Amino acid sequence: MYRTWLQFLALLGGFAVPGVLRVGGMEVFMSNEVEAVNGTEVRLKCTFKSKHPVSLSSVTVSWNFRPLAPGDEESVFYYQDTAYPPTEGRFKGHVVWSGDILRQDASISLQDVPFTFNGTYTCQVRNLPDVHGINGEVTLRVVHKVSVSEIGMLAVAIGAAIAIVLVVLGIFVVFKYRKLNRHANTDLELQERELQERELNARVLEERELNGRVLEDRELNARVLEESELNARVQEERELNASVQEERELNASVLEERELNASVLEERELNASVLEERELNASVLEERELNAREKKEWKDPTVC
């Protein structure tokens, strides 16, 4: 029963005396001090608020421990996308994740708390680009289990404290309720924005892929067109070469025919010359015969 009262008072103390530490654009909310009974479980609450959208991949949480007595700082817990509890040291098997990143909660719970857990716990929350600032701190005090007689001694003090705490609690609950509503509304807005941003990114990616395919199709069509034009040019060149070849052959035929005609003409001229020469010779021979007859008649007048 005493443990229940102590946990209740610790919870009230966490609500009534919250510490707000600003981390650049990040706000970290923690209690200044928490008490736990030896061997019980205690939740170290750490909430945050960022000016930038919160997602599982953008937020990192680191919990560290500094003992009351002089000693080195020790890692307690780490979270990024998933929980990474310690695998060695005093906290091995004693720490569990009890937060919710999307609700801006980076809390952890310590189980089976021993006295060696007395000390200061640091909660470091980073949400890119919120990476600078002061970390949140809470001091844990582990106390002994008390007997029933000790409960009686504390009853009067607790009764008086409860009356005051209830009034403060009533005022704070109203304030906290309004603030939680604001946080809830902010969470919904952030989730809606994140969803819209994801849909927009998906559309942009789809559009880029479509543009890439269109560009590939255009390049392919350009290559096909270029190849068609090249083939047309080759075909045209072949036809031109064929025409040239045909023209050359025709010219050769014409030249050959001209040469043949020239030969025929030359032969004709030669034949005409020969014929003319023959006719000339015949005329000469006829003239000679005529002259011979005339000479004969002149020598022999009896010849008729």
Side-chain angles (χ1 to χ4, degrees):
M1 183 177 178
Y2 177 68
R3 182 177 61 187
T4 303
W5 278 109
L6 285 179
Q7 291 177 347
F8 179 70
L9 288 176
L11 179 62
L12 293 181
F15 280 109
V17 192
V20 180
L21 300 176
R22 298 186 178 272
V23 183
M26 180 89 64
E27 291 182 351
V28 178
F29 302 86
M30 297 188 69
S31 302
N32 291 331
E33 186 177 276
V34 175
E35 282 189 357
V37 177
N38 180 32
T40 63
E41 179 179 340
V42 62
R43 185 170 185 262
L44 302 182
K45 188 173 183 180
C46 176
T47 59
F48 62 91
K49 181 179 180 182
S50 177
K51 294 181 179 179
H52 298 275
V54 175
S55 65
L56 296 178
S57 60
S58 66
V59 175
T60 60
V61 179
S62 299
W63 280 86
N64 296 313
F65 170 75
R66 187 172 65 253
L68 296 178
D72 296 332
E73 191 173 67
E74 183 177 345
S75 176
V76 178
F77 195 85
Y78 183 76
Y79 182 96
Q80 184 177 16
D81 285 335
T82 186
Y84 295 95
T87 57
E88 58 183 11
R90 76 179 76 192
F91 294 99
K92 179 181 179 181
H94 289 275
V95 188
V96 295
W97 174 253
S98 60
D100 187 344
I101 294 298
L102 295 181
R103 294 188 177 183
Q104 303 178 14
D105 187 350
S107 304
I108 60 172
S109 294
L110 302 179
Q111 298 176 335
D112 240 352
V113 177
F115 291 107
T116 55
F117 283 11
N118 273 309
T120 301
Y121 293 79
T122 302
C123 177
Q124 181 187 63
V125 183
R126 298 291 183 263
N127 179 40
L128 293 175
D130 294 341
V131 294
H132 301 289
I134 303 173
N135 303 325
E137 292 186 352
V138 59
T139 300
L140 174 65
R141 293 197 306 113
V142 181
V143 297
H144 288 279
K145 294 183 179 180
V146 294
S147 62
V148 177
S149 59
E150 291 176 324
I151 293 177
M153 296 174 61
L154 294 175
V156 176
I158 292 175
I162 287 177
I164 299 173
V165 169
L166 287 177
V167 175
V168 176
L169 180 61
I171 298 173
F172 182 76
V173 165
V174 173
F175 173 76
K176 194 70 175 180
Y177 178 76
R178 292 179 179 176
K179 191 170 185 179
L180 288 176
N181 283 341
R182 288 198 299 270
H183 286 177
N185 293 334
T186 303
D187 291 341
L188 291 175
E189 291 177 358
L190 290 176
Q191 291 176 4
E192 289 178 358
R193 290 178 184 174
E194 184 177 356
L195 181 59
Q196 292 175 356
E197 185 175 354
R198 289 180 181 176
E199 292 177 352
L200 181 59
N201 291 336
R203 291 177 184 174
V204 170
L205 181 60
E206 184 178 357
E207 186 175 354
R208 286 180 180 175
E209 293 178 352
L210 181 59
N211 291 336
R213 293 176 184 174
V214 171
L215 183 59
E216 290 178 0
D217 291 341
R218 288 180 179 175
E219 291 178 353
L220 181 61
N221 292 334
R223 291 177 184 174
V224 171
L225 182 60
E226 184 178 356
E227 186 174 356
S228 299
E229 292 177 351
L230 181 60
N231 292 334
R233 291 178 184 174
V234 171
Q235 184 65 26
E236 185 178 354
E237 186 175 355
R238 287 178 180 175
E239 293 177 355
L240 181 60
N241 292 334
S243 300
V244 171
Q245 183 66 25
E246 185 177 355
E247 186 176 357
R248 286 178 180 175
E249 293 176 356
L250 181 60
N251 292 334
S253 299
V254 171
L255 181 61
E256 184 178 356
E257 186 176 356
R258 287 180 180 175
E259 291 177 352
L260 181 60
N261 291 335
S263 299
V264 171
L265 182 60
E266 184 178 357
E267 185 176 357
R268 287 179 180 177
E269 291 177 352
L270 180 61
N271 291 334
S273 299
V274 171
L275 182 60
E276 184 178 356
E277 185 176 357
R278 285 179 181 177
E279 291 177 352
L280 181 61
N281 291 332
S283 297
V284 171
L285 182 58
E286 186 178 356
E287 186 176 357
R288 286 179 180 177
E289 289 178 354
L290 182 59
N291 291 331
R293 286 179 185 175
E294 288 178 353
K295 287 180 180 181
K296 188 176 181 182
E297 289 177 358
W298 181 70
K299 289 179 180 182
D300 189 5
T302 60
V303 179
C304 297

mmCIF file with all atom_site columns, all heavy atoms in Angstrom, residues 53-57 102 188-201:
data_model
loop_
_atom_site.group_PDB
_atom_site.id
_atom_site.type_symbol
_atom_site.label_atom_id
_atom_site.label_alt_id
_atom_site.label_comp_id
_atom_site.label_asym_id
_atom_site.label_entity_id
_atom_site.label_seq_id
_atom_site.pdbx_PDB_ins_code
_atom_site.Cartn_x
_atom_site.Cartn_y
_atom_site.Cartn_z
_atom_site.occupancy
_atom_site.B_iso_or_equiv
_atom_site.pdbx_formal_charge
_atom_site.auth_seq_id
_atom_site.auth_comp_id
_atom_site.auth_asym_id
_atom_site.auth_atom_id
_atom_site.pdbx_PDB_model_num
ATOM 1   N N   . PRO A 1 53  ? 8.321  17.965 -38.853 1.00 0.00 ? 53  PRO A N   1
ATOM 2   C CA  . PRO A 1 53  ? 7.528  16.734 -38.869 1.00 0.00 ? 53  PRO A CA  1
ATOM 3   C C   . PRO A 1 53  ? 8.268  15.580 -38.196 1.00 0.00 ? 53  PRO A C   1
ATOM 4   O O   . PRO A 1 53  ? 9.473  15.419 -38.350 1.00 0.00 ? 53  PRO A O   1
ATOM 5   C CB  . PRO A 1 53  ? 7.319  16.455 -40.366 1.00 0.00 ? 53  PRO A CB  1
ATOM 6   C CG  . PRO A 1 53  ? 7.461  17.794 -41.011 1.00 0.00 ? 53  PRO A CG  1
ATOM 7   C CD  . PRO A 1 53  ? 8.456  18.543 -40.200 1.00 0.00 ? 53  PRO A CD  1
ATOM 8   N N   . VAL A 1 54  ? 7.521  14.800 -37.437 1.00 0.00 ? 54  VAL A N   1
ATOM 9   C CA  . VAL A 1 54  ? 8.088  13.683 -36.687 1.00 0.00 ? 54  VAL A CA  1
ATOM 10  C C   . VAL A 1 54  ? 7.770  12.380 -37.410 1.00 0.00 ? 54  VAL A C   1
ATOM 11  O O   . VAL A 1 54  ? 6.625  12.133 -37.790 1.00 0.00 ? 54  VAL A O   1
ATOM 12  C CB  . VAL A 1 54  ? 7.513  13.647 -35.254 1.00 0.00 ? 54  VAL A CB  1
ATOM 13  C CG1 . VAL A 1 54  ? 8.000  12.410 -34.516 1.00 0.00 ? 54  VAL A CG1 1
ATOM 14  C CG2 . VAL A 1 54  ? 7.904  14.899 -34.501 1.00 0.00 ? 54  VAL A CG2 1
ATOM 15  N N   . SER A 1 55  ? 8.800  11.542 -37.595 1.00 0.00 ? 55  SER A N   1
ATOM 16  C CA  . SER A 1 55  ? 8.601  10.219 -38.187 1.00 0.00 ? 55  SER A CA  1
ATOM 17  C C   . SER A 1 55  ? 9.517  9.235  -37.477 1.00 0.00 ? 55  SER A C   1
ATOM 18  O O   . SER A 1 55  ? 10.463 9.628  -36.783 1.00 0.00 ? 55  SER A O   1
ATOM 19  C CB  . SER A 1 55  ? 8.896  10.244 -39.688 1.00 0.00 ? 55  SER A CB  1
ATOM 20  O OG  . SER A 1 55  ? 10.255 10.531 -39.909 1.00 0.00 ? 55  SER A OG  1
ATOM 21  N N   . LEU A 1 56  ? 9.241  7.949  -37.652 1.00 0.00 ? 56  LEU A N   1
ATOM 22  C CA  . LEU A 1 56  ? 10.029 6.919  -36.982 1.00 0.00 ? 56  LEU A CA  1
ATOM 23  C C   . LEU A 1 56  ? 11.491 6.943  -37.432 1.00 0.00 ? 56  LEU A C   1
ATOM 24  O O   . LEU A 1 56  ? 12.381 6.591  -36.664 1.00 0.00 ? 56  LEU A O   1
ATOM 25  C CB  . LEU A 1 56  ? 9.423  5.541  -37.250 1.00 0.00 ? 56  LEU A CB  1
ATOM 26  C CG  . LEU A 1 56  ? 8.006  5.318  -36.694 1.00 0.00 ? 56  LEU A CG  1
ATOM 27  C CD1 . LEU A 1 56  ? 7.505  3.931  -37.071 1.00 0.00 ? 56  LEU A CD1 1
ATOM 28  C CD2 . LEU A 1 56  ? 7.981  5.488  -35.177 1.00 0.00 ? 56  LEU A CD2 1
ATOM 29  N N   . SER A 1 57  ? 11.721 7.351  -38.686 1.00 0.00 ? 57  SER A N   1
ATOM 30  C CA  . SER A 1 57  ? 13.086 7.331  -39.207 1.00 0.00 ? 57  SER A CA  1
ATOM 31  C C   . SER A 1 57  ? 13.869 8.598  -38.898 1.00 0.00 ? 57  SER A C   1
ATOM 32  O O   . SER A 1 57  ? 15.090 8.609  -39.009 1.00 0.00 ? 57  SER A O   1
ATOM 33  C CB  . SER A 1 57  ? 13.046 7.110  -40.731 1.00 0.00 ? 57  SER A CB  1
ATOM 34  O OG  . SER A 1 57  ? 12.322 8.158  -41.349 1.00 0.00 ? 57  SER A OG  1
ATOM 35  N N   . LEU A 1 102 ? 5.517  8.611  -32.640 1.00 0.00 ? 102 LEU A N   1
ATOM 36  C CA  . LEU A 1 102 ? 4.512  9.373  -33.377 1.00 0.00 ? 102 LEU A CA  1
ATOM 37  C C   . LEU A 1 102 ? 3.657  10.224 -32.446 1.00 0.00 ? 102 LEU A C   1
ATOM 38  O O   . LEU A 1 102 ? 3.038  11.192 -32.899 1.00 0.00 ? 102 LEU A O   1
ATOM 39  C CB  . LEU A 1 102 ? 3.629  8.425  -34.196 1.00 0.00 ? 102 LEU A CB  1
ATOM 40  C CG  . LEU A 1 102 ? 4.360  7.666  -35.312 1.00 0.00 ? 102 LEU A CG  1
ATOM 41  C CD1 . LEU A 1 102 ? 3.396  6.782  -36.082 1.00 0.00 ? 102 LEU A CD1 1
ATOM 42  C CD2 . LEU A 1 102 ? 5.067  8.630  -36.260 1.00 0.00 ? 102 LEU A CD2 1
ATOM 43  N N   . LEU A 1 188 ? -2.273 15.081 -35.077 1.00 0.00 ? 188 LEU A N   1
ATOM 44  C CA  . LEU A 1 188 ? -3.107 14.770 -36.243 1.00 0.00 ? 188 LEU A CA  1
ATOM 45  C C   . LEU A 1 188 ? -2.687 15.600 -37.447 1.00 0.00 ? 188 LEU A C   1
ATOM 46  O O   . LEU A 1 188 ? -2.602 15.096 -38.574 1.00 0.00 ? 188 LEU A O   1
ATOM 47  C CB  . LEU A 1 188 ? -4.585 15.020 -35.910 1.00 0.00 ? 188 LEU A CB  1
ATOM 48  C CG  . LEU A 1 188 ? -5.219 14.050 -34.907 1.00 0.00 ? 188 LEU A CG  1
ATOM 49  C CD1 . LEU A 1 188 ? -6.641 14.486 -34.589 1.00 0.00 ? 188 LEU A CD1 1
ATOM 50  C CD2 . LEU A 1 188 ? -5.213 12.630 -35.456 1.00 0.00 ? 188 LEU A CD2 1
ATOM 51  N N   . GLU A 1 189 ? -2.436 16.896 -37.194 1.00 0.00 ? 189 GLU A N   1
ATOM 52  C CA  . GLU A 1 189 ? -2.003 17.756 -38.296 1.00 0.00 ? 189 GLU A CA  1
ATOM 53  C C   . GLU A 1 189 ? -0.668 17.284 -38.865 1.00 0.00 ? 189 GLU A C   1
ATOM 54  O O   . GLU A 1 189 ? -0.481 17.243 -40.083 1.00 0.00 ? 189 GLU A O   1
ATOM 55  C CB  . GLU A 1 189 ? -1.882 19.203 -37.807 1.00 0.00 ? 189 GLU A CB  1
ATOM 56  C CG  . GLU A 1 189 ? -3.233 19.852 -37.479 1.00 0.00 ? 189 GLU A CG  1
ATOM 57  C CD  . GLU A 1 189 ? -3.055 21.261 -36.941 1.00 0.00 ? 189 GLU A CD  1
ATOM 58  O OE1 . GLU A 1 189 ? -1.880 21.685 -36.807 1.00 0.00 ? 189 GLU A OE1 1
ATOM 59  O OE2 . GLU A 1 189 ? -4.069 21.925 -36.654 1.00 0.00 ? 189 GLU A OE2 1
ATOM 60  N N   . LEU A 1 190 ? 0.258  16.917 -37.959 1.00 0.00 ? 190 LEU A N   1
ATOM 61  C CA  . LEU A 1 190 ? 1.553  16.436 -38.422 1.00 0.00 ? 190 LEU A CA  1
ATOM 62  C C   . LEU A 1 190 ? 1.420  15.142 -39.207 1.00 0.00 ? 190 LEU A C   1
ATOM 63  O O   . LEU A 1 190 ? 2.074  14.948 -40.241 1.00 0.00 ? 190 LEU A O   1
ATOM 64  C CB  . LEU A 1 190 ? 2.497  16.229 -37.225 1.00 0.00 ? 190 LEU A CB  1
ATOM 65  C CG  . LEU A 1 190 ? 2.980  17.497 -36.514 1.00 0.00 ? 190 LEU A CG  1
ATOM 66  C CD1 . LEU A 1 190 ? 3.812  17.137 -35.306 1.00 0.00 ? 190 LEU A CD1 1
ATOM 67  C CD2 . LEU A 1 190 ? 3.786  18.373 -37.466 1.00 0.00 ? 190 LEU A CD2 1
ATOM 68  N N   . GLN A 1 191 ? 0.562  14.236 -38.712 1.00 0.00 ? 191 GLN A N   1
ATOM 69  C CA  . GLN A 1 191 ? 0.358  12.978 -39.428 1.00 0.00 ? 191 GLN A CA  1
ATOM 70  C C   . GLN A 1 191 ? -0.279 13.214 -40.791 1.00 0.00 ? 191 GLN A C   1
ATOM 71  O O   . GLN A 1 191 ? 0.093  12.586 -41.791 1.00 0.00 ? 191 GLN A O   1
ATOM 72  C CB  . GLN A 1 191 ? -0.506 12.038 -38.589 1.00 0.00 ? 191 GLN A CB  1
ATOM 73  C CG  . GLN A 1 191 ? 0.199  11.512 -37.337 1.00 0.00 ? 191 GLN A CG  1
ATOM 74  C CD  . GLN A 1 191 ? -0.709 10.660 -36.472 1.00 0.00 ? 191 GLN A CD  1
ATOM 75  O OE1 . GLN A 1 191 ? -1.841 10.397 -36.832 1.00 0.00 ? 191 GLN A OE1 1
ATOM 76  N NE2 . GLN A 1 191 ? -0.190 10.224 -35.332 1.00 0.00 ? 191 GLN A NE2 1
ATOM 77  N N   . GLU A 1 192 ? -1.260 14.142 -40.823 1.00 0.00 ? 192 GLU A N   1
ATOM 78  C CA  . GLU A 1 192 ? -1.888 14.454 -42.111 1.00 0.00 ? 192 GLU A CA  1
ATOM 79  C C   . GLU A 1 192 ? -0.866 15.069 -43.069 1.00 0.00 ? 192 GLU A C   1
ATOM 80  O O   . GLU A 1 192 ? -0.820 14.726 -44.252 1.00 0.00 ? 192 GLU A O   1
ATOM 81  C CB  . GLU A 1 192 ? -3.053 15.419 -41.898 1.00 0.00 ? 192 GLU A CB  1
ATOM 82  C CG  . GLU A 1 192 ? -4.264 14.778 -41.206 1.00 0.00 ? 192 GLU A CG  1
ATOM 83  C CD  . GLU A 1 192 ? -5.382 15.777 -40.965 1.00 0.00 ? 192 GLU A CD  1
ATOM 84  O OE1 . GLU A 1 192 ? -5.179 16.972 -41.300 1.00 0.00 ? 192 GLU A OE1 1
ATOM 85  O OE2 . GLU A 1 192 ? -6.437 15.384 -40.445 1.00 0.00 ? 192 GLU A OE2 1
ATOM 86  N N   . ARG A 1 193 ? -0.054 15.988 -42.531 1.00 0.00 ? 193 ARG A N   1
ATOM 87  C CA  . ARG A 1 193 ? 0.974  16.593 -43.377 1.00 0.00 ? 193 ARG A CA  1
ATOM 88  C C   . ARG A 1 193 ? 1.962  15.550 -43.875 1.00 0.00 ? 193 ARG A C   1
ATOM 89  O O   . ARG A 1 193 ? 2.377  15.552 -45.035 1.00 0.00 ? 193 ARG A O   1
ATOM 90  C CB  . ARG A 1 193 ? 1.723  17.676 -42.596 1.00 0.00 ? 193 ARG A CB  1
ATOM 91  C CG  . ARG A 1 193 ? 0.888  18.923 -42.313 1.00 0.00 ? 193 ARG A CG  1
ATOM 92  C CD  . ARG A 1 193 ? 1.686  19.921 -41.506 1.00 0.00 ? 193 ARG A CD  1
ATOM 93  N NE  . ARG A 1 193 ? 0.875  21.081 -41.136 1.00 0.00 ? 193 ARG A NE  1
ATOM 94  C CZ  . ARG A 1 193 ? 1.304  22.056 -40.336 1.00 0.00 ? 193 ARG A CZ  1
ATOM 95  N NH1 . ARG A 1 193 ? 2.541  22.005 -39.844 1.00 0.00 ? 193 ARG A NH1 1
ATOM 96  N NH2 . ARG A 1 193 ? 0.509  23.071 -40.039 1.00 0.00 ? 193 ARG A NH2 1
ATOM 97  N N   . GLU A 1 194 ? 2.362  14.639 -42.954 1.00 0.00 ? 194 GLU A N   1
ATOM 98  C CA  . GLU A 1 194 ? 3.296  13.592 -43.345 1.00 0.00 ? 194 GLU A CA  1
ATOM 99  C C   . GLU A 1 194 ? 2.687  12.684 -44.407 1.00 0.00 ? 194 GLU A C   1
ATOM 100 O O   . GLU A 1 194 ? 3.357  12.318 -45.380 1.00 0.00 ? 194 GLU A O   1
ATOM 101 C CB  . GLU A 1 194 ? 3.676  12.768 -42.113 1.00 0.00 ? 194 GLU A CB  1
ATOM 102 C CG  . GLU A 1 194 ? 4.723  11.711 -42.399 1.00 0.00 ? 194 GLU A CG  1
ATOM 103 C CD  . GLU A 1 194 ? 5.125  10.961 -41.150 1.00 0.00 ? 194 GLU A CD  1
ATOM 104 O OE1 . GLU A 1 194 ? 4.622  11.335 -40.056 1.00 0.00 ? 194 GLU A OE1 1
ATOM 105 O OE2 . GLU A 1 194 ? 5.901  10.010 -41.263 1.00 0.00 ? 194 GLU A OE2 1
ATOM 106 N N   . LEU A 1 195 ? 1.396  12.343 -44.224 1.00 0.00 ? 195 LEU A N   1
ATOM 107 C CA  . LEU A 1 195 ? 0.717  11.514 -45.216 1.00 0.00 ? 195 LEU A CA  1
ATOM 108 C C   . LEU A 1 195 ? 0.629  12.231 -46.562 1.00 0.00 ? 195 LEU A C   1
ATOM 109 O O   . LEU A 1 195 ? 0.890  11.633 -47.619 1.00 0.00 ? 195 LEU A O   1
ATOM 110 C CB  . LEU A 1 195 ? -0.693 11.151 -44.716 1.00 0.00 ? 195 LEU A CB  1
ATOM 111 C CG  . LEU A 1 195 ? -1.529 10.253 -45.633 1.00 0.00 ? 195 LEU A CG  1
ATOM 112 C CD1 . LEU A 1 195 ? -0.808 8.925  -45.866 1.00 0.00 ? 195 LEU A CD1 1
ATOM 113 C CD2 . LEU A 1 195 ? -2.909 10.017 -45.031 1.00 0.00 ? 195 LEU A CD2 1
ATOM 114 N N   . GLN A 1 196 ? 0.262  13.529 -46.524 1.00 0.00 ? 196 GLN A N   1
ATOM 115 C CA  . GLN A 1 196 ? 0.204  14.302 -47.766 1.00 0.00 ? 196 GLN A CA  1
ATOM 116 C C   . GLN A 1 196 ? 1.577  14.387 -48.426 1.00 0.00 ? 196 GLN A C   1
ATOM 117 O O   . GLN A 1 196 ? 1.701  14.290 -49.645 1.00 0.00 ? 196 GLN A O   1
ATOM 118 C CB  . GLN A 1 196 ? -0.327 15.704 -47.487 1.00 0.00 ? 196 GLN A CB  1
ATOM 119 C CG  . GLN A 1 196 ? -1.806 15.739 -47.077 1.00 0.00 ? 196 GLN A CG  1
ATOM 120 C CD  . GLN A 1 196 ? -2.252 17.141 -46.704 1.00 0.00 ? 196 GLN A CD  1
ATOM 121 O OE1 . GLN A 1 196 ? -1.461 18.074 -46.680 1.00 0.00 ? 196 GLN A OE1 1
ATOM 122 N NE2 . GLN A 1 196 ? -3.538 17.290 -46.380 1.00 0.00 ? 196 GLN A NE2 1
ATOM 123 N N   . GLU A 1 197 ? 2.604  14.573 -47.583 1.00 0.00 ? 197 GLU A N   1
ATOM 124 C CA  . GLU A 1 197 ? 3.958  14.663 -48.125 1.00 0.00 ? 197 GLU A CA  1
ATOM 125 C C   . GLU A 1 197 ? 4.379  13.346 -48.767 1.00 0.00 ? 197 GLU A C   1
ATOM 126 O O   . GLU A 1 197 ? 4.987  13.329 -49.840 1.00 0.00 ? 197 GLU A O   1
ATOM 127 C CB  . GLU A 1 197 ? 4.934  15.030 -47.003 1.00 0.00 ? 197 GLU A CB  1
ATOM 128 C CG  . GLU A 1 197 ? 6.359  15.274 -47.487 1.00 0.00 ? 197 GLU A CG  1
ATOM 129 C CD  . GLU A 1 197 ? 7.267  15.745 -46.364 1.00 0.00 ? 197 GLU A CD  1
ATOM 130 O OE1 . GLU A 1 197 ? 6.753  15.984 -45.246 1.00 0.00 ? 197 GLU A OE1 1
ATOM 131 O OE2 . GLU A 1 197 ? 8.473  15.864 -46.621 1.00 0.00 ? 197 GLU A OE2 1
ATOM 132 N N   . ARG A 1 198 ? 4.016  12.222 -48.117 1.00 0.00 ? 198 ARG A N   1
ATOM 133 C CA  . ARG A 1 198 ? 4.344  10.916 -48.696 1.00 0.00 ? 198 ARG A CA  1
ATOM 134 C C   . ARG A 1 198 ? 3.621  10.705 -50.016 1.00 0.00 ? 198 ARG A C   1
ATOM 135 O O   . ARG A 1 198 ? 4.196  10.202 -50.989 1.00 0.00 ? 198 ARG A O   1
ATOM 136 C CB  . ARG A 1 198 ? 3.980  9.797  -47.716 1.00 0.00 ? 198 ARG A CB  1
ATOM 137 C CG  . ARG A 1 198 ? 4.897  9.722  -46.499 1.00 0.00 ? 198 ARG A CG  1
ATOM 138 C CD  . ARG A 1 198 ? 4.486  8.606  -45.572 1.00 0.00 ? 198 ARG A CD  1
ATOM 139 N NE  . ARG A 1 198 ? 5.345  8.535  -44.399 1.00 0.00 ? 198 ARG A NE  1
ATOM 140 C CZ  . ARG A 1 198 ? 5.159  7.691  -43.402 1.00 0.00 ? 198 ARG A CZ  1
ATOM 141 N NH1 . ARG A 1 198 ? 4.133  6.850  -43.426 1.00 0.00 ? 198 ARG A NH1 1
ATOM 142 N NH2 . ARG A 1 198 ? 5.991  7.673  -42.379 1.00 0.00 ? 198 ARG A NH2 1
ATOM 143 N N   . GLU A 1 199 ? 2.314  11.066 -50.043 1.00 0.00 ? 199 GLU A N   1
ATOM 144 C CA  . GLU A 1 199 ? 1.558  10.928 -51.289 1.00 0.00 ? 199 GLU A CA  1
ATOM 145 C C   . GLU A 1 199 ? 2.149  11.811 -52.385 1.00 0.00 ? 199 GLU A C   1
ATOM 146 O O   . GLU A 1 199 ? 2.260  11.397 -53.543 1.00 0.00 ? 199 GLU A O   1
ATOM 147 C CB  . GLU A 1 199 ? 0.091  11.301 -51.046 1.00 0.00 ? 199 GLU A CB  1
ATOM 148 C CG  . GLU A 1 199 ? -0.653 10.311 -50.145 1.00 0.00 ? 199 GLU A CG  1
ATOM 149 C CD  . GLU A 1 199 ? -2.091 10.757 -49.881 1.00 0.00 ? 199 GLU A CD  1
ATOM 150 O OE1 . GLU A 1 199 ? -2.421 11.892 -50.268 1.00 0.00 ? 199 GLU A OE1 1
ATOM 151 O OE2 . GLU A 1 199 ? -2.850 9.968  -49.296 1.00 0.00 ? 199 GLU A OE2 1
ATOM 152 N N   . LEU A 1 200 ? 2.536  13.048 -51.988 1.00 0.00 ? 200 LEU A N   1
ATOM 153 C CA  . LEU A 1 200 ? 3.137  13.956 -52.968 1.00 0.00 ? 200 LEU A CA  1
ATOM 154 C C   . LEU A 1 200 ? 4.451  13.391 -53.490 1.00 0.00 ? 200 LEU A C   1
ATOM 155 O O   . LEU A 1 200 ? 4.722  13.429 -54.699 1.00 0.00 ? 200 LEU A O   1
ATOM 156 C CB  . LEU A 1 200 ? 3.364  15.329 -52.329 1.00 0.00 ? 200 LEU A CB  1
ATOM 157 C CG  . LEU A 1 200 ? 3.980  16.411 -53.236 1.00 0.00 ? 200 LEU A CG  1
ATOM 158 C CD1 . LEU A 1 200 ? 3.083  16.650 -54.448 1.00 0.00 ? 200 LEU A CD1 1
ATOM 159 C CD2 . LEU A 1 200 ? 4.179  17.703 -52.461 1.00 0.00 ? 200 LEU A CD2 1
ATOM 160 N N   . ASN A 1 201 ? 5.271  12.851 -52.560 1.00 0.00 ? 201 ASN A N   1
ATOM 161 C CA  . ASN A 1 201 ? 6.541  12.260 -52.985 1.00 0.00 ? 201 ASN A CA  1
ATOM 162 C C   . ASN A 1 201 ? 6.310  11.067 -53.899 1.00 0.00 ? 201 ASN A C   1
ATOM 163 O O   . ASN A 1 201 ? 7.046  10.867 -54.874 1.00 0.00 ? 201 ASN A O   1
ATOM 164 C CB  . ASN A 1 201 ? 7.366  11.831 -51.765 1.00 0.00 ? 201 ASN A CB  1
ATOM 165 C CG  . ASN A 1 201 ? 7.865  13.016 -50.959 1.00 0.00 ? 201 ASN A CG  1
ATOM 166 O OD1 . ASN A 1 201 ? 8.003  14.118 -51.485 1.00 0.00 ? 201 ASN A OD1 1
ATOM 167 N ND2 . ASN A 1 201 ? 8.135  12.816 -49.684 1.00 0.00 ? 201 ASN A ND2 1
#
